[in-house]
Amino acid sequence: MLILWLGIMLAVPVWLHWRGTGAAGLSLGVAAIYGLIAAGVWLVTILPPDAAQMVLRTVTLSDQDVDGSYHDTYYVVANGMVLFTPALLFGGIGFILWVLTRWDALRHQRIAKTLFWVLHLSVLGLPLVDTIFVRRGMRRRFIDYEEAMALPIAIQNTLAGVAAATFLTIVALMLWSAIARLRR
């Protein structure tokens, strides 16, 4: 399942890139994929409780209650956050880039594409590191992590920092483009 998700999340933007799609199209394409996957996860979670329990048993190896049932809220929130947040992030960036492109204001399309790829790969890497936490038994508190988790935590912090810095750079590029267009 993880390989299929990675393939879709990488193949579609690469295909759009090869077609010559701009940064706005790349961002909106990735936002649509995240949105569709998030909608699928949401539909699975609104299934009747017995069917949802069956799906959760096949998908995850997490803690169960004494009676064998899972805490649905925890998994719904965890999956929704990972999927809906990037959908909104890339959708907003894509819409603003599209407006700037239509307004003939976007400066440096190549830089915008490069920033898109850095942001996309760093955001895509965050759930991959999370699978390490889930496989090792996800702890509720940071102090409960064992020492072997130091490297995945450092990787996750680095990816999050790269994503935040890239996002701020994209926002700066968009503001710079809009101000430069207004001055013309």
Side-chain angles (χ1 to χ4, degrees):
M1 186 71 168
L2 183 64
I3 301 295
L4 176 66
W5 182 71
L6 271 176
I8 291 170
M9 293 306 294
L10 289 174
V12 172
V14 167
W15 178 71
L16 288 172
H17 187 85
W18 283 342
R19 287 191 63 222
T21 305
L26 290 171
S27 295
L28 290 173
V30 167
I33 295 168
Y34 272 116
L36 289 172
I37 293 173
V41 168
W42 181 73
L43 286 173
V44 167
T45 58
I46 63 169
L47 291 172
D50 293 335
Q53 290 296 324
M54 182 183 70
V55 170
L56 286 173
R57 278 190 197 95
T58 61
V59 171
T60 185
L61 302 171
S62 299
D63 298 330
Q64 297 178 353
D65 283 344
V66 176
D67 62 354
S69 64
Y70 290 92
H71 299 286
D72 293 344
T73 310
Y74 174 75
Y75 297 104
V76 172
V77 170
N79 290 327
M81 177 199 67
V82 169
L83 295 169
F84 283 116
T85 304
L88 293 173
L89 171 78
F90 284 108
I93 290 172
F95 178 74
I96 294 171
L97 287 174
W98 177 78
V99 168
L100 289 173
T101 303
R102 298 295 288 173
W103 195 30
D104 195 29
L106 183 61
R107 301 262 188 195
H108 305 289
Q109 182 71 245
R110 188 172 282 163
I111 293 174
K113 275 186 167 182
T114 303
L115 290 172
F116 160 78
W117 279 108
V118 172
L119 182 64
H120 177 55
L121 292 176
S122 60
V123 167
L124 190 59
L126 288 171
L128 295 178
V129 177
D130 281 342
T131 59
I132 296 170
F133 294 130
V134 171
R135 294 287 178 204
R136 296 192 67 133
M138 191 169 199
R139 307 288 190 261
R140 299 289 180 166
R141 298 179 304 171
F142 182 75
I143 59 171
D144 291 338
Y145 286 128
E146 56 213 38
E147 289 209 22
M149 299 303 284
L151 181 62
I153 290 169
I155 292 171
Q156 192 169 35
N157 289 340
T158 303
L159 286 172
V162 167
T166 306
F167 174 74
L168 293 175
T169 307
I170 289 174
V171 169
L173 176 68
M174 291 187 293
L175 287 173
W176 176 48
S177 297
I179 290 170
R181 173 70 166 110
L182 290 172
R183 288 187 178 173
R184 275 197 248 167

